[in-house]
Amino acid sequence: IEGGAVLRANQPLSIAGALSFKRANPTRLGEALGLGQQFSGETSGKMHFSTKGDAWASIFSAINAEGDFAMQRGSIRGIDLAEAARSVSRNPVQGGATPFENLSGTIKLTPTRYQFTGLVLNSGLMQSTGFIDVSSELMVSGMMELRMRGTANQTRVPISIGGPLKSPAVQVGRGGSL
């Protein structure tokens, strides 16, 4: 991880900077961001961040950051997109994992949420695109569109994601209550 920051000690206190990372461990990065051990693989990306506050003790709770990331040869634990698409019933699927060759997107961090947008996940013949939001209470909401490539009839399946980050529910369909 490489980066730099500018600290200003006058009132209000502020920090601004940027960082880039290559071959970072997404499990440790997720833990550092408070997201837990949801991801595995190899991560690279870059972020710009800033924060202001009246005291050094509380300045990090007001941080804002945004950037992009790419993950290689990994998995998302607790979300099984393929199983949700295969499910004949409309019942939510919980648990499992989604392995992937690559996953990329944009991340925006605020004091109240983590937003992952422009997500593109490639796993064999499956490609998924969409977004996921994680609240500061670690509740997940999002949509992914799953597509099967290489078939004569292109299959597109909308997948809703919602619930607690540790055990989100994934089901076919747009919106609705999970």
Side-chain angles (χ1 to χ4, degrees), residues 3 31 40 50 76 79 83 117 146 158 166 174:
E31 287 175 334
S40 69
S50 64
I76 303 171
I79 295 176
E83 184 59 29
T117 58
L146 186 131
K166 290 196 183 256
R174 298 192 183 276

Side-chain angles (χ1 to χ4, degrees), residues 79 114-117 119 130-134 140-142 144 161:
I79 295 176
Y114 304 97
Q115 296 175 307
F116 299 89
T117 58
L119 295 175
F131 71 92
I132 295 176
D133 286 346
V134 182
V140 176
S141 64
M144 296 294 286
I161 303 167

Side-chain angles (χ1 to χ4, degrees), residues 2-103:
E2 296 178 356
V6 175
L7 298 128
R8 291 200 164 75
N10 52 346
Q11 291 295 330
L13 305 170
S14 67
I15 301 173
L19 61 91
S20 63
F21 46 96
K22 292 182 182 175
R23 291 179 262 213
N25 180 325
T27 302
R28 289 184 181 163
L29 191 57
E31 287 175 334
L33 292 173
L35 296 173
Q37 301 178 356
Q38 302 297 112
F39 303 99
S40 69
E42 189 174 278
T43 305
S44 60
K46 58 186 176 194
M47 295 188 80
H48 297 277
F49 59 90
S50 64
T51 184
K52 292 181 181 179
D54 295 327
W56 289 113
S58 62
I59 197 165
F60 290 104
S61 64
I63 198 161
N64 289 288
E66 59 184 88
D68 53 38
F69 69 93
M71 297 174 68
Q72 306 297 317
R73 297 171 302 280
S75 69
I76 303 171
R77 295 179 188 107
I79 295 176
D80 193 335
L81 294 174
E83 184 59 29
R86 279 191 294 266
S87 179
V88 176
S89 69
R90 292 242 178 222
N91 293 331
V93 172
Q94 288 184 287
T98 300
F100 57 82
E101 281 88 38
N102 54 60
L103 168 64

